[in-house]
Amino acid sequence: MKVYNTANRKKEEFNSINKGIVNMYVCGPTTYNLIHIGNARPLVVFDAFRNYLTSLGYQVNYIQNFTDVDDKIINKAKDEGIGPLELAAKYIAEYTKDAESLRVKKATFHPKVSENIDEIIEFIANLISKGFAYEIDGDVYFDVKNYKPYGKLSGKNTDDLKAGARVNVDDKKTSPLDFALWKNVKEGEINWISPWGKGRPGWHIECSTMSMKYTNSPTLDIHGGGQDLIFPHHENEVAQSEAYTGAPFVKYWMHNGFITVNKEKMSKSLGNFFLVREILEKFSGEVIRYFLLSTHYRNPIDFNDGALLESEKSLTKLMTGYSNLEKLLNDSTENQEDILLEEFKQIEEKIEKALQDDFNTALAFSYFFDGSKIITRAINENKYSKEGVERAYNIFNKYLVDILAVLPFEKIESKEDDSSDSEVFKKVMDILVNVRNTARKDKNFAYGDLIRNELAKLDIDIIDTKEGSTWKRK
RNA sequence: GGCGACGUGGCCAAGUGGCUAAGGCAGAGGUCUGCAAAACCUCCAUCCCCGGUUCAAAUCCGGGCGUCGCCUCCA
């Protein structure tokens, strides 16, 4: 399998450090709000990738942190008049609901900053003793000038960075590039006792500390996250970790591309973000998941209502193929010929090839559309055997149900139908449908069409099927 | 200013040296159904521009134009 490694900016053959085991860390959310679709992307991408690694036989130790100590949490908690950890706990619970809706499985570990303070303090103390960090007035900063390779991950050199750095007047650090490992307590803030007085951890240190603690290893196989974390977050993680252990921190860095809205980056600061919770009112989690996986994970995706609608239609097509297979499972017809066995053998090979090539889920999906076509052809031409059906069904289950986890799914029907229409209205509609069907039975189609056309003007569709006629709002 | 990504049919999106440039959406034609809807079948691009390398380039190199991102909390 090949994986694109941000550290070298090329695809590399993937080999885990310890045979059969993959230690994988993905930066999780800061829990002060409901997650938005941009947060959902790494969640879904790396969840699916973890599933894929598992299917290859790896035992995946998957770690995703919750940042529950942070300025944004502290500020919001103050506004709401509750403790910061209480606020974080609330949003961790909300996060879990959204993750489940998106079919994201739990990580092996979900460590929280607040539960790893001792380890963080120890980590920082070690950096100070090695000369990679210094304390000033209760703050501790990482000393970038003492760590020569700084910038190697993000491809920046320290001279350029210094030239472009903004000077923060409040900072006591000696270089603008230095970053906080420990922050001295401010009046009324949550804090812990440390050798440098009361305070709390800086942002970057948690990931280094917790990844080592929960893998029991200085080097991760895979570290994932959004591209915007490359600098400074991941750069700083590398610096502090390698300064601490002397060993490489990460073997493969994987970064997902952004979600854009109207071609502009979606971000909290721009305010143009969409909450997963809101989207789930209109589209099922599987549709969102499909949307996120239908583009290669490193490319940007533009988010809009139309895109999700398109994803829903596409996924419906795959669902039709899957449903057809389920019907065939109970079919005892004995056919002379079978095309499924051979076709799906080839399809599985192509899917594996796609996923082996830097997890190309977009390409993998396309083969399932081909597969769905072949299933209908097999049905139409009576060319399916029990074995062939089972094989196809297993492949659908393996990839679309288990790994990519976009099937089965149900469309979210617009809720307005049920909630806003009165009982009287529904009864009147039933009468109209009955009147129309009576006319149709009498072959008075002109009269029936009149009713349907008039209703269409009110954005109400009448749909005739073998089982009867139904109506729905457009 | 420094670093980086990208530019493929109406829209979305794979493909990074070589069979007829995947797939989805939309559109067109058809099968089916009283008609319509749904479903199914068929059709629909030479890859931003210019130059170069090569027997051969969307794919490599150089230049240009354009879009976007990082350099500041952010997935």
Side-chain angles (χ1 to χ4, degrees):
Chain A
M1 177 173 62
K2 285 201 167 110
V3 159
Y4 182 90
N5 191 350
T6 307
N8 311 317
R9 311 200 181 251
K10 15 174 220 225
K11 285 184 198 171
E12 293 181 342
E13 191 60 34
F14 178 82
N15 289 304
S16 62
I17 296 163
N18 296 306
K19 196 166 186 296
I21 297 171
V22 173
N23 283 130
M24 177 170 171
Y25 186 98
V26 175
C27 291
T30 300
T31 49
Y32 71 107
N33 204 343
L34 297 173
I35 60 166
H36 63 250
I37 183 77
N39 300 116
R41 190 171 188 188
L43 216 73
V44 165
V45 163
F46 292 110
D47 172 71
F49 188 59
R50 178 257 308 257
N51 293 341
Y52 181 57
L53 288 171
T54 304
S55 83
L56 292 176
Y58 290 106
Q59 185 193 320
V60 183
N61 183 211
Y62 186 46
I63 300 149
Q64 190 193 38
N65 64 304
F66 286 121
T67 301
D68 62 349
V69 177
D70 168 271
D71 286 338
K72 295 185 287 284
I73 295 173
I74 290 168
N75 291 336
K76 186 154 183 191
K78 209 177 283 172
D79 293 345
E80 295 192 9
I82 58 174
L85 294 183
E86 196 184 337
L87 182 96
K90 174 178 147 191
Y91 283 110
I92 288 170
E94 298 298 339
Y95 163 92
T96 305
K97 284 186 204 164
D98 286 336
E100 277 172 11
S101 299
L102 296 172
R103 303 262 297 261
V104 172
K105 294 196 196 89
K106 279 206 157 48
T108 318
F109 296 105
H110 280 289
K112 299 181 191 113
V113 178
S114 63
E115 293 170 355
N116 289 278
I117 300 293
D118 289 349
E119 289 83 353
I120 288 171
I121 288 173
E122 197 185 304
F123 199 115
I124 296 171
N126 181 295
L127 286 176
I128 293 175
S129 72
K130 284 185 173 155
F132 288 110
Y134 56 91
E135 186 249 322
I136 294 181
D137 300 338
D139 289 330
V140 180
Y141 295 100
F142 185 85
D143 196 351
V144 169
K145 75 173 186 305
N146 282 353
Y147 179 73
K148 292 288 177 264
Y150 192 81
K152 68 175 179 177
L153 174 66
S154 54
K156 299 180 188 306
N157 68 63
T158 49
D159 291 339
D160 290 342
L161 285 167
K162 275 178 203 155
R166 298 182 185 187
V167 179
N168 190 338
V169 282
D170 290 336
D171 271 340
K172 289 164 263 178
K173 55 193 183 185
T174 54
S175 160
L177 296 183
D178 293 351
F179 53 91
L181 298 170
W182 186 263
K183 294 178 171 181
N184 192 13
V185 66
K186 287 183 195 142
E187 185 60 34
E189 272 183 10
I190 185 169
N191 65 83
W192 288 266
I193 293 170
S194 78
W196 320 285
K198 290 180 179 177
R200 62 188 166 93
W203 175 36
H204 314 292
I205 193 70
E206 63 184 78
C207 293
S208 295
T209 307
M210 298 191 293
S211 66
M212 289 182 202
K213 175 178 171 185
Y214 290 93
T215 60
N216 204 18
S217 160
T219 308
L220 288 164
D221 289 293
I222 295 170
H223 189 133
Q227 276 170 0
D228 56 343
L229 293 181
I230 297 172
F231 191 89
H233 186 51
H234 290 336
E235 189 69 58
N236 292 351
E237 282 183 39
V238 172
Q240 68 204 179
S241 302
E242 300 191 356
Y244 177 96
T245 66
F249 177 46
V250 171
K251 194 167 180 194
Y252 304 96
W253 281 100
M254 295 175 73
H255 290 98
N256 62 272
F258 292 120
I259 307 272
T260 59
V261 175
N262 299 322
K263 306 287 181 187
E264 269 203 333
K265 182 186 166 184
M266 174 190 293
S267 74
K268 286 173 185 171
S269 51
L270 289 174
N272 62 345
F273 60 89
F274 292 83
L275 299 177
V276 169
R277 199 61 62 85
E278 294 168 343
I279 303 167
L280 281 169
E281 287 173 13
K282 290 165 84 175
F283 297 97
S284 70
E286 285 83 2
V287 170
I288 300 172
R289 196 170 160 109
Y290 175 82
F291 168 71
L292 294 172
L293 293 171
S294 62
T295 297
H296 185 90
Y297 75 90
R298 283 191 285 117
N299 290 343
I301 313 182
D302 198 54
F303 175 84
N304 51 66
D305 244 29
L308 281 177
L309 209 56
E310 192 182 314
S311 291
E312 185 175 71
K313 286 180 184 173
S314 301
L315 193 54
T316 302
K317 208 163 208 173
L318 297 180
M319 188 61 205
T320 304
Y322 188 63
S323 305
N324 282 337
L325 282 174
E326 287 187 319
K327 282 179 205 149
L328 291 182
L329 280 177
N330 300 318
D331 184 315
S332 54
T333 313
E334 300 214 2
N335 293 305
Q336 299 290 316
E337 286 183 84
D338 171 276
I339 53 171
L340 294 178
L341 214 50
E342 179 55 29
E343 291 279 7
F344 270 87
K345 187 181 163 223
Q346 288 179 22
I347 284 172
E348 183 168 30
E349 283 166 9
K350 288 188 204 163
I351 290 164
E352 272 302 318
K353 200 177 158 204
L355 295 180
Q356 298 267 333
D357 184 11
D358 196 25
F359 201 48
N360 193 337
T361 52
L363 187 57
F365 278 127
S366 76
Y367 299 130
F368 278 102
F369 289 103
D370 295 339
S372 296
K373 256 182 221 169
I374 286 157
I375 292 164
T376 53
R377 204 177 92 213
I379 293 172
N380 292 339
E381 298 174 7
N382 286 312
K383 288 180 180 170
Y384 54 91
S385 67
K386 189 166 185 293
E387 269 182 293
V389 171
E390 279 172 2
R391 164 144 219 160
Y393 189 62
N394 287 341
I395 291 171
F396 264 73
N397 276 323
K398 178 176 176 185
Y399 296 98
L400 294 186
V401 178
D402 295 336
I403 296 174
L404 301 170
V406 294
L407 290 185
F409 94 106
E410 281 179 31
K411 269 185 201 169
I412 307 260
E413 297 296 344
S414 45
K415 288 180 178 170
E416 289 85 336
D417 289 7
D418 296 317
S419 53
S420 67
D421 291 332
S422 70
E423 286 306 308
V424 172
F425 176 79
K426 287 182 197 168
K427 281 181 183 162
V428 171
M429 280 306 301
D430 287 344
I431 293 170
L432 270 173
V433 169
N434 281 334
V435 167
R436 175 169 172 273
N437 279 338
T438 307
R440 289 171 68 218
K441 269 178 203 153
D442 295 341
K443 305 279 179 199
N444 191 346
F445 295 118
Y447 188 62
D449 289 347
L450 176 73
I451 292 174
R452 186 170 61 195
N453 292 338
E454 290 300 312
L455 286 172
K457 288 179 190 168
L458 301 172
D459 281 340
I460 296 171
D461 283 336
I462 291 206
I463 298 139
D464 300 322
T465 67
K466 281 176 189 166
E467 287 77 36
S469 301
T470 58
W471 63 274
K472 68 169 189 182
R473 288 176 179 276
K474 272 183 191 168

